[in-house]
């Protein structure tokens, strides 16, 4: 429900925003090609439609799921649970007894007998159901691990996208500062401005250079964290957007619900085993006459009937039934919490989308103000202080856009977690 709505709204609104930015950039690039070159690159890099290098957030998540050792560990646990289930549901043990004493009259046990129990009442089937519940629990743990790894990747990716946008912004601001410094020097050379204004412009360039250095370091650190989250080599960063999958089945996607459901199935299997604990054991025995006698063979059908277990099976039955009921109540309560998490995640995502649109519009207005102020400064109608204030306002606006985009990416990651969905899981 939310995914289709999100995809449609995001596509329509973002395309409208992008077209508005593109037209404004083309217009400004025509009027001021040198000054707008770096800014145009920044806008293209931060746009939701910027092209990655044949990568996407889904590709990185799938890469991490194939490379992270913690996922491999959970997969081994699933394999172990399947082997355990197979052993629990195996047919009763076939055994052979043979022996011979020093004296025929003091032999003990069977001289030669083959025993084959028969699961006539389905005790092995009940044990197999209990083992299958363990497999489902292991699968739920595997899914929880995958969702955690996906969260690590998407959070690290959101921070890497943010630091990349802020770095591009800083480089753009450095280019603008250099342009302003050149214009200031030209006016100082013709004595249209006092030399102190050139000193101020030079300081602004040095400040912009240092910001670039700081943000390069921050971006490099975020790339290291992203590489760790991927569990392997870091490919080129994809475009800064997360495409949510279509709605799935909440009961099968959230690992907490899967775990509780498998536990309930396990208790139901325990209840069946408790009911069958007083059922007779049936066994076919193939016997040979004792070694001291003439060779004779025969078949015996053996029944072992439990008479009284002093209430143990009854208590086990009651305990298993009560545990199944308790798990069902926990399941219903957890599902209500999950629905609340999804509702809250949808609210946060909607707010993040509106925030991004607002900051994009503010940044567009700040860019117009900066261009007009720069043009006025070149013509002598504005002061250098006006230009620096407009430049700083534009820089802050672009940083706000980058932060708003990160908040939207984090909101999308939380929405995926709340729904228990994994990118690339379904075609």
């Amino acid at each position: 429900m939310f995914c289709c709505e999100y995809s449609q709204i995001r596509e329509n609104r973002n395309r409208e925003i992008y077209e508005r930015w593109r037209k404004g950039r083309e217009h400004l690039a025509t009027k001021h090609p040198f000054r707008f070159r770096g800014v145009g690159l920044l806008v293209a890099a931060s746009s939701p439609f910027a092209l990655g290098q044949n990568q996407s957030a889904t590709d990185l998540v799938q890469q991490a799921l194939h490379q992270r050792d913690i996922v491999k560990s959970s997969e081994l646990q699933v394999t172990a649970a399947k082997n355990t289930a197979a052993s629990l549901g195996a047919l009763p043990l076939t055994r052979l007894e043979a022996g011979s004493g020093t004296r025929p009259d003091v032999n003990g046990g069977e001289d030669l007998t083959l025993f084959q129990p028969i699961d006539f009442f389905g005790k092995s089937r009940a044990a197999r159901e209990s083992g299958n519940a363990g497999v489902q629990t292991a699968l739920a743990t595997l899914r929880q691990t995958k969702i955690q790894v996906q969260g690590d990747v998407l959070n690290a990716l959101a921070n890497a996208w943010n630091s990349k946008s802020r770095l591009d912004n800083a480089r753009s601001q450095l280019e603008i500062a250099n342009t302003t410094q050149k214009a200031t020097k030209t006016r100082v050379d013709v004595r249209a401005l006092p030399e102190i204004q050139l000193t101020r412009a030079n300081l602004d360039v040095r400040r912009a250079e240092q910001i670039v250095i700081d943000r390069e370091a921050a971006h490099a650190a975020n790339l290291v964290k992203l590489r760790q989250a991927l569990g392997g080599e870091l490919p080129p960063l994809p475009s800064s957007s997360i495409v949510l999958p279509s709605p799935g089945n909440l009961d099968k996607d959230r690992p907490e619900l899967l775990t509780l459901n498998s536990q309930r199935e396990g208790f139901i299997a325990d209840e069946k085993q408790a009911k069958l604990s007083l059922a007779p054991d049936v066994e076919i025995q193939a016997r040979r006459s004792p070694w001291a006698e003439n060779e004779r063979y025969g078949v015996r059908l053996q029944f072992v009937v439990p008479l009284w277990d002093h209430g143990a099976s009854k208590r086990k039955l009651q305990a298993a039934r009560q545990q199944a009921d308790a798990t069902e109540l926990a399941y219903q309560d957890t599902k209500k919490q999950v629905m609340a998490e999804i509702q809250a995640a949808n609210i946060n995502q909607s707010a993040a989308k509106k925030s991004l649109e607002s900051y994009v519009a503010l940044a567009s207005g700040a860019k117009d103000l900066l261009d007009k102020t720069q043009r006025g400064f070149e013509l002598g109608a504005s002061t250098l202080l006006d230009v620096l204030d407009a430049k700083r306002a534009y820089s802050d606006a672009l940083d706000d856009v980058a932060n708003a985009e990160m908040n939207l990416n984090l909101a999308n990651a939380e929405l995926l977690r709340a729904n228990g969905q994994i990118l690339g899981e379904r075609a």
Side-chain angles (χ1 to χ4, degrees), residues 100 137 178 186 188 190 214 272 292 294 335 357 370 384 391 405 408 410:
S100 179
T137 300
N178 285 325
T186 299
V188 169
V190 299
D214 294 341
K272 291 181 180 179
N294 293 330
K335 191 169 184 178
E357 293 173 4
L370 174 60
L384 176 61
K391 184 175 76 69
E405 189 176 41
L408 178 57
L410 292 176

Side-chain angles (χ1 to χ4, degrees), residues 16-268:
E16 180 182 353
I17 294 168
Y18 176 69
E19 287 299 321
R20 187 167 65 246
W21 275 59
R22 184 182 61 79
K23 292 179 181 178
R25 186 169 70 253
E26 290 176 353
H27 173 71
L28 292 171
T30 302
K31 294 176 60 178
H32 311 290
F34 177 76
R35 286 207 309 270
F36 198 70
R37 182 179 59 193
V39 179
L41 293 175
L42 171 61
V43 175
S46 62
S47 167
F49 298 96
L51 296 178
Q53 291 77 6
N54 298 322
Q55 290 284 336
S56 67
T58 300
D59 296 328
L60 295 190
V61 168
Q62 287 300 312
Q63 175 183 332
L65 295 182
H66 286 88
Q67 294 183 160
R68 288 285 295 272
D69 290 337
I70 188 64
V71 177
K72 296 177 182 178
S73 173
S74 295
E75 289 173 344
L76 286 176
Q77 293 292 344
V78 172
T79 302
K82 289 180 179 180
N83 288 328
T84 300
S87 67
L88 291 175
L91 295 175
L93 176 67
T94 300
R95 69 187 191 276
L96 176 67
E97 291 187 12
S100 179
T102 57
R103 292 173 57 89
D105 56 340
V106 292
N107 277 343
E110 303 291 344
D111 287 356
L112 180 62
T113 307
L114 180 67
F115 300 88
Q116 177 57 63
I118 300 175
D119 186 20
F120 189 78
F121 296 96
K123 292 183 178 181
S124 295
R125 290 194 298 271
R128 187 182 300 115
E129 291 177 4
S130 179
N132 290 337
V135 173
Q136 295 304 314
T137 300
L139 288 172
T141 302
L142 173 60
R143 186 168 189 84
Q144 179 66 56
T145 301
K146 288 183 176 181
I147 290 175
Q148 290 175 351
V149 169
Q150 175 180 257
D152 293 341
V153 172
L154 294 182
N155 288 338
L157 189 56
N159 282 285
W161 279 332
N162 178 259
S163 61
K164 179 64 169 61
S165 296
R166 289 170 62 85
L167 175 57
D168 290 341
N169 177 22
R171 288 170 176 168
S172 173
Q173 293 301 310
L174 176 58
E175 186 170 349
I176 295 174
N178 285 325
T179 302
T180 303
Q181 189 264 354
K182 291 177 182 179
T184 303
K185 187 176 185 304
T186 299
R187 295 192 62 189
V188 169
D189 290 342
V190 299
R191 300 185 182 279
L193 286 177
E195 190 172 351
I196 187 67
Q197 299 297 334
L198 180 58
T199 302
R200 177 175 292 175
N202 290 336
L203 289 174
D204 190 63
V205 171
R206 292 175 60 185
R207 176 179 177 274
E209 290 173 344
Q210 186 58 49
I211 292 176
V212 170
I213 294 173
D214 294 341
R215 293 189 178 182
E216 283 177 343
H219 184 55
N222 284 330
L223 290 181
V224 171
K225 295 177 181 178
L226 177 58
R227 183 170 64 248
Q228 187 279 327
L230 292 175
E233 294 299 322
L234 178 64
L237 284 181
S239 59
S240 55
S241 60
I242 299 174
V243 180
L244 299 182
S246 57
N249 188 336
L250 189 62
D251 294 331
K252 295 181 179 180
D253 288 342
R254 274 297 289 256
E256 298 93 330
L257 298 179
L258 284 172
T259 299
L260 289 171
N261 188 60
S262 62
Q263 289 177 352
R264 181 175 178 274
E265 294 299 324
F267 292 135
I268 292 176

Side-chain angles (χ1 to χ4, degrees), residues 2-4 6-8 10-11 14-15 48-50 55-59 61 150 154 157 161 238-247 349 408-409 411-413 415-416 421-426:
F2 66 90
C3 295
C4 296
Y6 162 74
S7 299
Q8 187 65 35
R10 187 178 192 278
E11 181 178 356
N14 282 341
R15 287 191 182 278
F49 298 96
Q55 290 284 336
S56 67
T58 300
D59 296 328
V61 168
Q150 175 180 257
L154 294 182
L157 189 56
W161 279 332
S239 59
S240 55
S241 60
I242 299 174
V243 180
L244 299 182
S246 57
Q349 187 214 37
L408 178 57
N409 288 327
N412 286 335
L415 195 53
L416 282 171
Q421 293 178 306
I422 299 175
L423 292 177
E425 184 178 50
R426 300 183 180 91

Side-chain angles (χ1 to χ4, degrees), residues 180-387:
T180 303
Q181 189 264 354
K182 291 177 182 179
T184 303
K185 187 176 185 304
T186 299
R187 295 192 62 189
V188 169
D189 290 342
V190 299
R191 300 185 182 279
L193 286 177
E195 190 172 351
I196 187 67
Q197 299 297 334
L198 180 58
T199 302
R200 177 175 292 175
N202 290 336
L203 289 174
D204 190 63
V205 171
R206 292 175 60 185
R207 176 179 177 274
E209 290 173 344
Q210 186 58 49
I211 292 176
V212 170
I213 294 173
D214 294 341
R215 293 189 178 182
E216 283 177 343
H219 184 55
N222 284 330
L223 290 181
V224 171
K225 295 177 181 178
L226 177 58
R227 183 170 64 248
Q228 187 279 327
L230 292 175
E233 294 299 322
L234 178 64
L237 284 181
S239 59
S240 55
S241 60
I242 299 174
V243 180
L244 299 182
S246 57
N249 188 336
L250 189 62
D251 294 331
K252 295 181 179 180
D253 288 342
R254 274 297 289 256
E256 298 93 330
L257 298 179
L258 284 172
T259 299
L260 289 171
N261 188 60
S262 62
Q263 289 177 352
R264 181 175 178 274
E265 294 299 324
F267 292 135
I268 292 176
D270 291 343
E271 183 179 347
K272 291 181 180 179
Q273 287 182 294
K275 289 179 180 179
L276 294 173
S277 62
L278 293 179
D281 293 328
V282 183
E283 187 175 67
I284 295 179
Q285 301 175 357
R287 295 174 173 270
R288 183 193 184 281
S289 60
W291 303 117
E293 301 178 5
N294 293 330
E295 183 177 342
R296 290 174 298 165
Y297 294 93
V299 176
R300 175 185 177 86
L301 186 62
Q302 182 79 20
F303 285 88
V304 178
V305 181
L307 294 180
W308 178 247
D309 64 352
H310 305 281
S313 60
K314 180 180 179 181
R315 296 298 181 184
K316 289 180 181 179
L317 176 64
Q318 291 176 346
R321 187 172 297 165
Q322 290 166 351
Q323 287 174 318
D325 293 341
T327 305
E328 176 64 23
L329 292 174
Y331 181 92
Q332 297 299 330
D333 187 75
T334 302
K335 191 169 184 178
K336 292 177 183 178
Q337 294 179 6
V338 168
M339 296 301 295
E341 290 178 9
I342 294 175
Q343 184 179 4
N346 274 302
I347 293 173
N348 289 333
Q349 187 214 37
S350 178
K353 287 192 293 185
K354 293 179 181 178
S355 177
L356 176 59
E357 293 173 4
S358 298
Y359 281 119
V360 166
L362 289 173
S364 180
K367 182 64 179 69
D368 291 338
L369 175 62
L370 174 60
D371 287 329
K372 292 177 182 178
T373 305
Q374 281 186 313
R375 184 59 179 166
F377 177 69
E378 293 171 358
L379 299 176
S382 301
T383 66
L384 176 61
L385 187 59
D386 293 334
V387 175

